Amino acid sequence: MFLFAGGIILFLNSYQKRILSNQLKMQEMEVKHQQELFYGNLESMENERKRISRDLHDEVGAALSTTRLIVCQIQEKDTDDAQTLTEECKKMIDKTMDNIRRISNDMLPHGLEEFGLEYAIEELCDKVMMASDIDIDFDSEDYHGVNKKAELVIYRIVQELLNNSLKHARATEINIGIQKPDEEEDYLITYQDNGIGFEYPVPRKKAGLGIMNIENRVKMIFGSMKLFTQPQQGFRIEIKVPVSILLQNEN
Amino acid sequence: MRISTLIAVYAPISLLLPVTVALVRKKYLVNELRPVAFYIGLQLFTEIFIRVLSFGFHVRNSLPFLHIYTVLEFSLICWFYYVFLKDFIHKNIIPVLVTGFLLFAIINGVFIQTVFEFNTYPRSLESLLIVCLSLIAFYKMFQTLEYVRIDRTSVFWINSGFTLYFSGNLFLFVLGNLLLSKDQELSRMAWAIHAGLDIFMNIFIAIGLWWSRREQ
């Protein structure tokens, strides 16, 4: 009887263990599949952006440059009215070229692939500081990531956060940090502004698409995030990303 | 009254438990549960029939009926395993086993043991084969992982009931005639154990039938 009872308990125990292990495997496969889907989408999106960026730069930009040269030639030969007109044309073409350059840079993070995440974020911060009165402090320690896809996700998160601070927060100071606390298995990415903040989680339910996007991006790189904000108390987000993900060679 | 006698006398009452559950859940007793329902019916009929023979007609030896009962019992249990294991083991194995067992039971009743004595050989062989089938059933459950909550499935409980009853009684059936003819006290003890295992099997079958169609 005891032997039988023991046998049944052992059977049930082993059975449940196998079921759990199978479920875990299934979940892992699902997560992997989701990640592959995400990376696939991301890759096609980024490829498309690259293509558009190249086209804008190489074709439209070049065509505009040529047009500008022609206009310059007209200017040298024609009357005063034509000179005024061509002057305006030149200004417009210059403006268009600047716009194209800006759109092209926005689509393809400048320097991310060549010089890495730290450089790309610094560039982004410089651009924001030039375009606004916001003072940004970016601090990065001990960062050695190599996974370009994951880095692109982090870059887009920072871009989204900066965009939010610019559009809604009325912030004057922003602190961005990437650290690897000792003996931790995760990189800690912190972002803090001194803006107007908001009541969390209420806005998330109403119109928190930006936060949802950030949350989804964080999940895709197996990270976790904590958000701290209240009205008139600024905004702070802490994102943890496993070191293993950032050190993973994407090939 | 001794406790061993008490168990042996009142054990058949436990049969009312699976009978009641089977009646309550009768519309769900399909596939492998149908033979189990017939098996409970067979047990109930046997109990009543033997009591009628014993008290109504004062028949002292009802063992000839046990020979028929053994074949019917084995066939019904095999039907249960046939439905459950048909996609796991070769389809012909169980029908061959039943046919072979039927032939062996006839040969045993005619040539080896008389119908008036305990059919130790068929009973032992039956127990051995059912224990083997039950182990295969456990193996199938373990390999296929069909159910998330195995403890909420009919097959698990019924199979456990069969394993407990037939493995526990294997030696009792082997030594059946010896126990009946030798020491009275030992015989009483042995049949009390048999009755105890019968109670457990009936409880397990009742739980199994209770989980019919609630399987996950």
Side-chain angles (χ1 to χ4, degrees), chain B residues 50-61:
Chain B
I50 285 172
R51 266 150 188 77
V52 169
L53 281 183
S54 173
F55 298 111
F57 298 93
H58 304 288
V59 176
R60 298 281 297 162
N61 189 345

Side-chain angles (χ1 to χ4, degrees), chain A residues 63-207:
Chain A
L64 281 172
S65 297
T66 317
T67 316
R68 191 180 184 281
L69 278 173
I70 294 165
V71 170
C72 281
Q73 283 172 353
I74 296 168
Q75 194 182 11
E76 283 166 11
K77 290 171 185 171
D78 243 327
T79 58
D80 287 347
D81 283 347
Q83 200 163 358
T84 320
L85 207 66
T86 47
E87 195 63 42
E88 270 180 32
C89 266
K90 268 166 66 185
K91 276 180 191 168
M92 252 178 71
I93 291 165
D94 283 344
K95 201 178 165 189
T96 313
M97 281 169 75
D98 282 344
N99 279 339
I100 289 168
R101 206 169 290 129
R102 184 183 52 77
I103 294 166
S104 166
N105 274 341
D106 279 352
M107 283 186 162
L108 190 69
H110 180 64
L112 180 70
E113 283 194 7
E114 300 89 338
F115 307 112
L117 181 67
E118 286 166 298
Y119 178 83
I121 292 178
E122 264 172 28
E123 284 283 302
L124 185 65
C125 294
D126 286 346
K127 263 202 288 181
V128 172
M129 281 198 288
M130 271 165 61
S132 65
D133 296 329
I134 299 176
D135 188 23
I136 306 174
D137 181 39
F138 173 56
D139 185 30
S140 156
E141 287 170 16
D142 244 358
Y143 179 77
H144 307 290
V146 289
N147 186 338
K148 293 295 168 205
K149 281 176 187 166
E151 284 189 334
L152 184 61
V153 173
I154 295 169
Y155 179 87
R156 293 286 179 221
I157 291 170
V158 175
Q159 200 174 29
E160 177 79 38
L161 289 166
L162 282 169
N163 199 32
N164 286 348
S165 294
L166 275 172
K167 270 189 181 170
H168 315 291
R170 282 179 254 155
T172 54
E173 276 178 26
I174 295 172
N175 289 299
I176 307 171
I178 303 178
Q179 287 111 29
K180 189 185 169 293
D182 289 341
E183 292 169 19
E184 283 275 333
E185 294 298 310
D186 303 312
Y187 273 113
L188 177 68
I189 300 158
T190 52
Y191 179 97
Q192 187 168 2
D193 72 27
N194 65 344
I196 55 169
F198 54 87
E199 201 177 318
Y200 185 76
V202 178
R204 183 186 166 193
K205 282 179 188 165
K206 286 179 184 168

Side-chain angles (χ1 to χ4, degrees), chain A residues 1 4 8 11-12 14-16 18-19 22-23, chain B residues 138 141-142 145-148 150 156 160 164 200:
Chain A
M1 275 295 284
F4 173 80
I8 291 291
F11 175 80
L12 282 173
S14 313
Y15 189 91
Q16 287 304 327
R18 277 198 73 184
I19 286 276
N22 266 23
Q23 282 176 339
Chain B
F138 274 126
M141 286 181 229
F142 197 70
L145 300 176
E146 266 178 71
Y147 314 101
V148 177
I150 190 85
F156 170 74
S160 301
L164 174 70
F200 274 111

Side-chain angles (χ1 to χ4, degrees), chain B residues 20-86:
Chain B
T20 312
V21 177
L23 288 173
V24 172
R25 312 279 305 161
K26 69 177 173 200
K27 67 173 172 179
Y28 302 117
L29 305 185
V30 289
N31 298 330
E32 68 267 16
L33 298 184
R34 195 187 294 266
V36 179
F38 285 138
Y39 174 55
I40 294 162
L42 175 72
Q43 278 194 23
L44 188 71
F45 172 77
T46 310
E47 286 297 336
I48 295 167
F49 184 69
I50 285 172
R51 266 150 188 77
V52 169
L53 281 183
S54 173
F55 298 111
F57 298 93
H58 304 288
V59 176
R60 298 281 297 162
N61 189 345
S62 58
L63 283 172
F65 187 72
L66 182 68
H67 287 253
I68 302 163
Y69 173 83
T70 306
V71 174
L72 291 175
E73 180 184 57
F74 184 72
S75 307
L76 288 172
I77 293 172
C78 279
W79 181 7
F80 164 77
Y81 283 116
Y82 176 75
V83 179
F84 183 63
L85 298 171
K86 67 181 170 204

Side-chain angles (χ1 to χ4, degrees), chain B residues 11-213:
Chain B
I13 294 170
S14 68
L15 189 59
L16 290 176
L17 195 64
V19 169
T20 312
V21 177
L23 288 173
V24 172
R25 312 279 305 161
K26 69 177 173 200
K27 67 173 172 179
Y28 302 117
L29 305 185
V30 289
N31 298 330
E32 68 267 16
L33 298 184
R34 195 187 294 266
V36 179
F38 285 138
Y39 174 55
I40 294 162
L42 175 72
Q43 278 194 23
L44 188 71
F45 172 77
T46 310
E47 286 297 336
I48 295 167
F49 184 69
I50 285 172
R51 266 150 188 77
V52 169
L53 281 183
S54 173
F55 298 111
F57 298 93
H58 304 288
V59 176
R60 298 281 297 162
N61 189 345
S62 58
L63 283 172
F65 187 72
L66 182 68
H67 287 253
I68 302 163
Y69 173 83
T70 306
V71 174
L72 291 175
E73 180 184 57
F74 184 72
S75 307
L76 288 172
I77 293 172
C78 279
W79 181 7
F80 164 77
Y81 283 116
Y82 176 75
V83 179
F84 183 63
L85 298 171
K86 67 181 170 204
D87 52 352
F88 193 70
I89 56 171
H90 196 282
K91 259 179 131 175
N92 293 335
I93 290 178
I94 293 178
V96 167
L97 274 182
V98 174
T99 316
F101 184 78
L102 179 68
L103 288 173
F104 175 69
I106 293 168
I107 292 165
N108 181 71
V110 176
F111 302 107
I112 305 169
Q113 292 175 311
T114 67
V115 288
F116 295 102
E117 64 177 323
F118 192 82
N119 55 345
T120 49
Y121 300 133
R123 285 299 269 174
S124 311
L125 182 66
E126 180 199 19
S127 300
L128 198 68
L129 292 173
I130 289 172
V131 169
C132 290
L133 288 172
S134 71
L135 291 177
I136 295 170
F138 274 126
Y139 183 68
K140 185 200 166 182
M141 286 181 229
F142 197 70
Q143 285 299 310
T144 54
L145 300 176
E146 266 178 71
Y147 314 101
V148 177
R149 288 290 305 268
I150 190 85
D151 56 326
R152 291 185 182 182
T153 60
S154 302
V155 172
F156 170 74
W157 286 102
I158 293 167
N159 190 47
S160 301
F162 287 151
T163 316
L164 174 70
Y165 178 77
F166 287 101
S167 61
N169 283 329
L170 184 62
F171 289 101
L172 180 73
F173 291 152
V174 171
L175 306 169
N177 283 328
L178 198 71
L179 287 169
L180 282 172
S181 60
K182 299 283 175 183
D183 188 82
Q184 279 287 311
E185 187 61 28
L186 188 68
S187 172
R188 199 177 290 121
M189 278 292 289
W191 290 110
I193 291 170
H194 169 263
L197 292 170
D198 195 29
I199 293 170
F200 274 111
M201 182 178 70
N202 287 333
I203 293 169
F204 277 38
I205 289 175
I207 298 170
L209 296 180
W210 183 248
W211 283 116
S212 54
R213 290 276 286 188

